[in-house]
Every structure is written in C-alpha cells, then in structure tokens.
Amino acid sequence: MRTFALITGLVLAATPSFADTIHTSDGKSISEVTIVSEGLDKVIYKDGRSDQSIDTQSVISIVFTEKPRAMMQADGFLLDNDLDSAAIILNDYVDAVISGAERERRKWAPANAAWRVVELRQALGDLPGVVAASTRLIENYGDTRYLPGAYLAKADAYYWNSDGKKAQATLKDFEAAITSRMMAERWRMECDLALILTNDELSATARRKSLDEVGDRAGARFATVKNRSLVAQGESFLQEVVVTPAKAAKNVPAALAVFQEVLKDPKADDATLAGAYVGMGDCLFQSAAKSLDKDELKKSALAYLRVAAVYPEQSRYVAKALFYGGRSLDLMGDDENKERAQVLYAEVYFSFPGSNWANEAKNFSKR
C-alpha cells in the first residue's frame, strides 16, 4: 500500500517514449526533449538540435526515459515494494560517483539519484536517513535544482525528530545560501514558510497570520507555496481545538473551508494534498463521531483512505489516515465495516510499529 504512488511514477517513467518530459508549475508539459543538466537556476534541454532552457523554479518534475543501470535496478526494487533496497542501490551509486569509482556521462543523473535517496528515506519514515542523504546532496550537488529541496527536507526531518533548534539552524543556512547564491524568489518564500512551520514558539494566531502573509506573497504565481501555507493554517485551526475544545464550533468550519479550497486547486504537491485530505477527514470526523451519522462517517473514511491509497509515500500522514479511516468505519456499526476497520488497525501497527498511531490501533484491535 505504502509504495503505490512511487510505483505508479516509475511505471509511467518506464513507459516507452522518444524523449524526456518536463512538467511545469503552470500545469503544462514540455515533451519530446532531452535533459542536458538540472542547474540551480536553469534546466537545460535539447529540443531537436538546439539547446533550450527553463527557469528551475518553474519545474515541478521531470520524467526521464534513459537512466543509468543503478537507477533502473532501483526502479525494479520499487516495483517489488522494496523501498529500502532501492534506497541502498541508489545510495551506493551516488557514493561511487562522488568517490570517482564510477563515471557518469549523464550530468543530471547523480544529483537526481541523490535526491531520490532523500525521497525514499522520507517515505520510509527514516528521519536520520533523511538528514544524512540531504547533507550529502547539499555538500556535493549544490549547483543543482535539488539543493533547495535538500535543505527543506533536512530541516523537516530534524523538526519531526523533535529537534526544532537544528531545524531552524538548517533553515538559517538555507536563508544564507539563498542570499549568497541569489536564488530565485520562490525559494525565499519556501524558506520563510518552513521557518514558520518549524517554530513552536509562535501562538496559533501569530502562526496563521504569518502563514497568511507568505501565502499572499506567493499568490497564483507560486500556487504550490500558497497551498502549503493554507494547509498549515487549517492544521493550526484544528490543533487549537485540541487545546481549547470550546473553539471547535468556529475553528472546524474554518479549517474545512481551507482544506476544501486547496483540494479545488490541482497546483499542489503530494504532501500538501495528503495534508488537505487528512485535514478534511479530521473536520468531518469531529461531527460524525458525535452524531454517528453513517453518511458523514463514510465521507470521513473516504477522505482518510484516499491518502493511504493515493499518497502512501507521505509517511507523516498515512498512519493517522489509516487509523482514523478505521475509526470511521468502526463507528458505522455494521459487521462488514467493523471487519474492514480491523484490517486497517492491523495495517497501522504492522507498517508503523512503535508509532503513537500503532499504539492507538492496538487499543481498538480485536486480533
């Protein structure tokens, strides 16, 4: 279940084609090209015999048709649901290139592989592994389009490993790099957003105000940043309800409106969409769990389970989505849905052992 999106991406990437495809932030694609390099400022590609370029900040993803052997081997492991082996294969390949033991004619490949290791360690929930892989990328591939993502991934991993100080320090380093390297405007906004999200000293009201300011700056031009700030605002509304339940009547509808706004806009990355669906599930579950309205419980279950099915690599959200998807089904009361709930509880404690959600799932499991 957890590798569905990764596998889907690989299958698409492996589909025979004549050349590479660039997917851009405006929802368009540049197809039938050959990537030459993925720089910090520009992605260079060949269109026919001529060299063309596009601003890196406008690139969302690139599908490559020709890959080094190690990357193809990693794709094979992913098709077998073996993320760890895929990460090891790519990790060894990057180390070999860095040490000089292996030469690579494709300029884009080593940095791309280094970034894939970061993504795989994120999907595995391996926070120290994310820090190590991100650090290596920053130190060795600082001239590529993956540099900003590496800083953000490293800070995020520190934060979710309960080390907010190192998260903030990493982002300050990123901020300095943005200034010294004169990086594109998008990265300044990404860094500002991350500094807010990893600052636990902000009150809920101050956090939302800061998030709103970043979202306004991002606007339609950087919709992915704006939508990420909106999801964080919605999450802030719900976190406030946990501390002060009396605010539910006001905060839950406000949060739901924010999540629904994001889901209407396709210009969002997978982490943002996963967060929006979990947030929507949380809002629906709040009232459905009290009323036991089967239609509302079904809606909350569908919102949660969409995350597990479509965004399984978003490990931060999947365990919670599986657990509350199970709770939604359980509360529907009929035998069939209760049995489905038991399957989801089992998935939580087998796939996320040692997590708080696994402990919660065991409390409701009858197995």
Side-chain angles (χ1 to χ4, degrees):
M1 182 181 290
R2 295 178 63 195
T3 57
F4 179 85
L6 288 171
I7 291 171
T8 301
L10 286 167
V11 170
L12 290 174
T15 301
S17 178
F18 293 105
D20 305 326
T21 301
I22 303 169
H23 297 287
T24 59
S25 57
D26 60 3
K28 298 179 181 179
S29 298
I30 303 172
S31 57
E32 303 297 316
V33 299
T34 301
I35 302 301
V36 176
S37 63
E38 297 182 276
L40 184 59
D41 300 316
K42 300 283 186 180
V43 170
I44 308 297
Y45 61 92
K46 284 189 176 294
D47 186 359
R49 294 184 178 181
S50 64
D51 282 354
Q52 303 289 337
S53 67
I54 182 173
D55 287 345
T56 293
Q57 69 174 352
S58 299
V59 175
I60 295 298
S61 64
I62 298 175
V63 176
F64 296 95
T65 55
E66 183 187 358
K67 301 178 182 179
R69 179 180 298 177
M71 296 178 76
M72 296 298 290
Q73 289 175 332
D75 290 355
F77 278 114
L78 286 174
L79 290 170
D80 288 333
N81 297 339
D82 190 348
L83 275 68
D84 194 51
S85 293
I88 291 170
I89 288 287
L90 291 173
N91 191 71
D92 290 347
Y93 163 71
V94 175
D95 280 347
V97 173
I98 291 173
S99 69
E102 182 167 343
R103 298 183 66 181
E104 179 55 65
R105 64 180 177 82
R106 305 168 187 85
K107 292 182 179 179
W108 58 265
N112 180 278
W115 175 245
R116 291 291 289 141
V117 176
V118 175
E119 291 184 312
L120 287 166
R121 288 300 166 200
Q122 286 178 317
L124 288 163
D126 176 9
L127 299 178
V130 173
V131 170
S134 299
T135 299
R136 179 179 62 183
L137 195 156
I138 291 166
E139 292 176 349
N140 293 278
Y141 299 108
D143 291 325
T144 72
R145 77 180 184 95
Y146 301 105
L147 178 67
Y151 272 115
L152 294 168
K154 183 176 180 179
D156 191 64
Y158 274 135
Y159 180 72
W160 288 101
N161 205 25
S162 302
D163 200 336
K165 288 184 178 180
K166 284 187 178 180
Q168 290 275 303
T170 299
L171 292 169
K172 290 297 182 183
D173 289 342
F174 183 28
E175 199 171 42
I178 291 169
T179 300
S180 65
R181 304 286 296 274
M182 294 184 289
M183 291 189 201
E185 181 186 0
R186 173 188 169 186
W187 306 123
R188 175 72 64 181
M189 286 186 288
E190 293 274 14
C191 185
D192 288 347
L193 177 58
L195 282 165
I196 297 167
L197 296 179
T198 57
N199 185 355
D200 287 334
E201 294 182 2
L202 289 173
S203 68
T205 301
R207 179 184 295 269
R208 287 195 293 273
K209 181 180 178 182
S210 297
L211 289 168
D212 195 44
E213 289 172 353
V214 172
D216 284 345
R217 282 166 50 204
R221 185 182 177 197
F222 301 109
T224 55
V225 179
K226 179 179 180 178
N227 284 335
R228 199 174 306 121
S229 72
L230 286 172
V231 168
Q233 288 181 55
E235 291 172 340
S236 176
F237 277 123
L238 295 181
Q239 288 163 1
E240 201 170 24
V241 171
V242 174
V243 178
T244 312
K247 293 188 176 183
K250 179 181 178 180
N251 282 24
V252 173
L256 181 59
V258 168
F259 296 132
Q260 289 174 331
E261 179 181 349
V262 172
L263 294 173
K264 289 178 183 177
D265 189 340
K267 297 182 181 69
D269 57 31
D270 284 355
T272 301
L273 292 171
Y277 276 112
V278 166
M280 185 168 72
D282 287 345
C283 294
L284 296 170
F285 186 79
Q286 286 264 353
S287 59
K290 295 177 182 178
S291 67
L292 298 182
D293 183 292
K294 287 191 174 183
D295 288 338
E296 292 302 307
L297 285 166
K298 182 178 180 180
K299 289 178 183 178
S300 67
L302 289 173
Y304 287 126
L305 296 181
R306 185 182 182 93
V307 175
V310 183
Y311 310 107
E313 77 283 7
Q314 301 302 322
S315 57
R316 183 187 309 164
Y317 293 108
V318 173
K320 178 181 180 179
L322 287 169
F323 173 72
Y324 274 109
R327 292 296 302 131
S328 299
L329 294 173
D330 219 347
L331 290 172
M332 292 176 75
D334 60 278
D335 291 342
E336 184 177 2
N337 280 312
K338 280 183 171 294
E339 183 60 29
R340 289 173 178 169
Q342 291 299 312
V343 172
L344 294 177
Y345 297 148
E347 178 71 21
V348 175
Y349 57 73
F350 282 126
S351 295
F352 302 91
S355 69
N356 291 334
W357 297 115
N359 294 330
E360 290 286 344
K362 287 180 182 178
N363 292 333
F364 291 94
S365 176
K366 297 179 181 178
R367 301 182 181 184

